[in-house]
């Protein structure tokens, strides 16, 4: 099994509806999303995926959050934009787009969403 990962950064604001410890207020983070992809076979160039293709993939999924209020974008207009739910969203959207673009050769292993240097949520599916 081969695994690659790449970090992506964006700045965005959010509010956690129903939170009583301060996060219910509008505030922002410099997010870091780390996407791990795996493949049992490499492509014809000897790669899991070209890093520029990986960058385009994540930009398609999360690029519209940059310098925005995440709560304004589906599905976060209905659910809380927590790091956990952002990680799940990125995982599932990337999984679906990878299947369209690369078939079943490449899969999402896990996604990490960092709100800062010390706080991270991870999502993976069995």
């Amino acid at each position: 099994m081969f695994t690659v990962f790449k970090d992506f950064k964006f700045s965005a604001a959010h509010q956690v509806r129903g939170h009583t410890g301060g996060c219910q207020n509008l505030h922002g983070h410099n997010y870091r999303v780390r996407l791990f992809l795996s493949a049992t076979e490499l492509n014809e160039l000897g790669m899991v995926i070209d890093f520029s293709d990986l960058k385009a993939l994540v930009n398609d999924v999360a690029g519209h959050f940059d310098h925005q209020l995440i709560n304004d974008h589906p599905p976060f207009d209905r659910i809380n934009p927590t790091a956990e739910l952002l990680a799940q969203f990125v995982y599932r959207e990337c999984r679906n787009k990878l299947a369209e673009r690369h078939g079943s050769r490449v899969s999402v292993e896990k996604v990490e969403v960092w709100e800062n240097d010390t706080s991270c949520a991870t999502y993976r599916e069995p």
Side-chain angles (χ1 to χ4, degrees):
M1 178 73 66
F2 298 92
T3 302
V4 296
F5 75 86
K6 187 165 176 61
D7 287 353
F8 305 90
K9 295 181 180 181
F10 65 92
S11 299
H14 73 152
Q15 293 174 284
V16 180
R17 299 170 199 94
H19 193 281
T20 59
C23 290
Q24 77 276 15
N25 298 319
L26 180 63
H27 64 286
H29 298 286
N30 292 315
Y31 288 95
R32 182 173 74 227
V33 175
R34 181 173 287 170
L35 178 63
F36 292 80
L37 300 182
S38 296
T40 55
E41 297 177 20
L42 300 177
N43 68 13
E44 63 280 355
L45 298 174
M47 300 176 180
V48 171
I49 189 172
D50 189 291
F51 284 119
S52 64
D53 292 339
L54 183 50
K55 181 179 179 181
L57 171 69
V58 173
N59 190 53
D60 285 350
V61 170
H64 59 281
F65 295 139
D66 190 37
H67 287 82
Q68 298 289 313
L69 175 59
I70 296 173
N71 299 66
D72 288 344
H73 297 273
F76 301 106
D77 55 342
R78 298 179 318 279
I79 64 174
N80 271 328
T82 61
E84 294 88 344
L85 290 173
L86 277 166
Q88 181 185 53
F89 172 80
V90 170
Y91 180 103
R92 290 181 174 171
E93 291 294 310
C94 286
R95 176 194 61 199
N96 295 341
K97 289 185 182 296
L98 275 171
E100 292 170 10
R101 297 174 187 178
H102 298 276
S104 61
R105 188 183 65 79
V106 181
S107 61
V108 180
E109 185 176 309
K110 69 178 177 177
V111 173
E112 297 175 353
V113 173
W114 296 76
E115 288 188 345
N116 57 48
D117 289 339
T118 62
S119 302
C120 174
T122 301
Y123 183 81
R124 72 176 81 212
E125 292 184 354

